[in-house]
Amino acid sequence: MATPMSASAFVKALRDEGLTVVEVGDWRDHNRNHKGAWGPVHGVMIHHTVTKGSANTVSICQHGYANLPGPLCHGVITKDGRVHLVGYGRANHAGLGDDDVLQAVIAEKALPADNEANTDGNRHFYGFECENLGDGEDPWPAVQLEAIERAAAALCRHHGWDERSVIGHLEWQPGKVDPRGFTMASMRARISDRLDGPSSDDWKPSTPGTTPSKEDPMAGYSQAQIGDAVLHRDNIPAPKSAPDKAKNPKWTLSSYAQTILNTLNTALDELRALRKAVDALAKKES
């Protein structure tokens, strides 16, 4: 249980964790507080947006829809790894969820199945919407996954929470599937690793046309540019497994590379989660 941090402390925590933060409009005063209480806060909730295009995604999360007014979260994490702050206070992101899940988050214990929708989550969770179509095929760039990890860790670090205070929407509300494309177990393992060390501001995401980042020397180039530079030609036949083969009969070399990289990243995340579980068991037995 914790009192929500101030807007100034919120943005400072994110930047101290090494994130590039974009402050959108009057985000500090943009909220749904007139509809109910904001706080005490107990954790962080991760979502995917089912949208495409960063500008469009940020606008939707800021303003919402006719039947669901914004803000729809506190921060929007776009594919380039930037965190766009669109609101602060009560936000329409979590909805009603399972009270047993909330109690497990508060106790920082393993989550039970979410089979009820009887508790106001908008009051108790910070929310990050992450730009992704949520179809299981839209990729999650490494820079975006690291931004999710850092954003969640920043809030956990401030409040003294561990990684079990971070959940996905699919773990809170029956019928939800977000975030889809990575597992929350793997993300919590990453957050746990980060919380084992100090916060850091030595990492900044890059976008095409800017200086490549310290961690990724190719960050200033598009996947197509990298693929074409390696292969010296525009396209190669798409694999039979290409989900969009009917619309795009050819893939760039970078598409193959990205598919392989996504598979390797998933395997690495699962190994990290397994290592954490083994370490925890060893400590318990000792």
Side-chain angles (χ1 to χ4, degrees):
M1 181 181 296
T3 300
M5 55 208 302
S6 68
S8 294
F10 182 74
V11 68
K12 182 180 185 302
L14 295 174
R15 286 178 171 147
D16 285 350
E17 203 70 36
L19 290 158
T20 294
V21 177
V22 181
E23 300 185 58
V24 181
D26 62 343
W27 73 273
R28 294 170 185 261
D29 301 310
H30 185 40
N31 55 58
R32 304 289 296 167
N33 290 359
H34 61 288
K35 289 294 185 179
W38 162 233
V41 288
H42 301 300
V44 182
M45 191 173 294
I46 307 300
H47 309 257
H48 66 230
T49 59
V50 199
T51 59
K52 185 176 182 180
S54 296
N56 175 57
T57 296
V58 171
S59 179
I60 289 173
C61 290
Q62 178 186 15
H63 301 294
Y65 305 89
N67 60 344
L68 188 66
L72 304 185
C73 59
H74 301 104
V76 183
I77 302 177
T78 48
K79 284 185 176 291
D80 60 7
R82 285 168 166 75
V83 181
H84 304 255
L85 302 184
V86 297
Y88 201 68
R90 185 181 178 90
N92 276 333
H93 73 98
L96 294 177
D98 195 307
D99 60 333
D100 293 329
V101 172
L102 181 62
Q103 291 306 312
V105 170
I106 293 171
E108 296 184 328
K109 294 181 178 179
L111 299 177
D114 55 326
N115 53 23
E116 295 179 296
N118 57 12
T119 301
D120 178 12
N122 294 335
R123 175 180 183 178
H124 296 302
F125 288 93
Y126 297 103
F128 289 101
E129 286 281 358
C130 307
E131 179 191 352
N132 192 277
L133 291 175
D135 57 3
E137 298 174 356
D138 191 12
W140 290 90
V143 70
Q144 186 182 26
L145 290 174
E146 182 157 357
I148 296 169
E149 169 193 327
R150 286 179 181 257
L155 304 190
C156 288
R157 200 185 297 278
H158 175 90
H159 287 296
W161 297 332
D162 71 19
E163 74 282 358
R164 287 169 292 188
S165 294
V166 183
I167 68 173
H169 200 192
L170 78 171
E171 297 172 306
W172 170 247
Q173 189 177 85
K176 296 297 182 181
V177 299
D178 56 315
R180 187 178 181 191
F182 63 88
T183 68
M184 285 306 302
S186 67
M187 181 55 66
R188 280 190 285 267
R190 294 175 61 142
I191 293 166
S192 177
D193 285 345
R194 179 159 298 281
L195 290 173
D196 285 342
S199 61
S200 173
D201 62 358
D202 63 356
W203 172 87
K204 303 292 181 185
S206 293
T207 53
T210 65
T211 303
S213 73
K214 179 185 258 187
E215 291 192 4
D216 184 5
M218 301 304 289
Y221 303 91
S222 69
Q223 292 181 9
Q225 288 173 324
I226 296 171
D228 293 345
V230 173
L231 195 63
H232 300 293
R233 58 186 174 133
D234 290 337
N235 294 298
I236 51 180
K240 293 180 180 180
S241 60
D244 56 349
K245 184 180 178 184
K247 297 181 180 178
N248 299 290
K250 291 182 179 294
W251 269 16
T252 60
L253 176 63
S254 58
S255 299
Y256 283 101
Q258 187 62 51
T259 298
I260 295 170
L261 180 61
N262 288 344
T263 301
L264 290 174
N265 282 337
T266 298
L268 181 59
D269 287 342
E270 291 175 350
L271 285 173
R272 284 174 174 164
L274 180 60
R275 187 193 70 187
K276 283 286 183 182
V278 171
D279 288 346
L281 182 59
K283 289 181 180 178
K284 183 177 180 181
E285 291 182 348
S286 63

